[in-house]
Amino acid sequence: MTTAACSKEGTPPTGPVNADARPAAEDDSQPGSSGVSFRTPPRVVGSWCGGTDRAAHWTYVFADDGRYVRSDGGRQGDSGIARFDSSQLTLLVDGRPLISYPWSLYSDPTLGDLLYIDGFSYVRGKCS
């Protein structure tokens, strides 16, 4: 993995969000109190590794039903529900304030899909 794949400098200039990264249509399987679906966009489902630098790499694992787990290799982490809208990722963890980050999905011809969370890039896979 290259350093650009894990830094804010690697952010695509226009920050595109692909059509399938939009929120899923509402369905009755996992509605929130507002009727919003917590389905994860299909291209985001799975494990992602990235972050600020080697010392602070994070692994995010997103399930298709909206659940997530994130960890920095065992020292810190949490789990809960992830809500994706067209440009904002909101993490809901019991007993904690909502955490929101801008997000986008970019397809790189060499690296494949890159998930950007709060300006940092993540590639598919778990961090070692």
Side-chain angles (χ1 to χ4, degrees), residues 23-74:
E26 291 183 21
D27 72 28
D28 295 330
S29 63
Q30 290 282 317
S33 59
S34 65
V36 174
S37 173
F38 288 98
R39 306 300 291 180
T40 303
R43 286 185 53 202
V44 176
V45 172
S47 298
W48 298 87
C49 173
T52 58
D53 58 33
R54 284 196 180 272
H57 276 167
W58 283 81
T59 296
Y60 279 80
V61 181
F62 296 103
D64 66 347
D65 64 359
R67 290 176 293 123
Y68 83 91
V69 175
R70 68 178 176 169
S71 171
D72 72 346

Side-chain angles (χ1 to χ4, degrees), residues 8 11 15 17 21 41 44 50-52 56-62 68-72 76-93 96-105 115-122:
K8 286 189 177 190
T11 304
V17 175
V44 176
T52 58
H57 276 167
W58 283 81
T59 296
Y60 279 80
V61 181
F62 296 103
Y68 83 91
V69 175
R70 68 178 176 169
S71 171
D72 72 346
Q76 297 182 55
D78 56 35
S79 62
I81 302 293
R83 177 178 176 253
F84 291 84
D85 68 23
S86 63
S87 64
Q88 210 60 23
L89 165 61
T90 303
L91 304 178
L92 299 96
V93 181
R96 293 182 39 196
L98 294 177
I99 305 165
S100 279
Y101 303 110
W103 80 279
S104 63
L105 190 60
L115 175 64
Y116 287 87
I117 301 173
D118 198 24
F120 297 101
S121 63
Y122 293 79

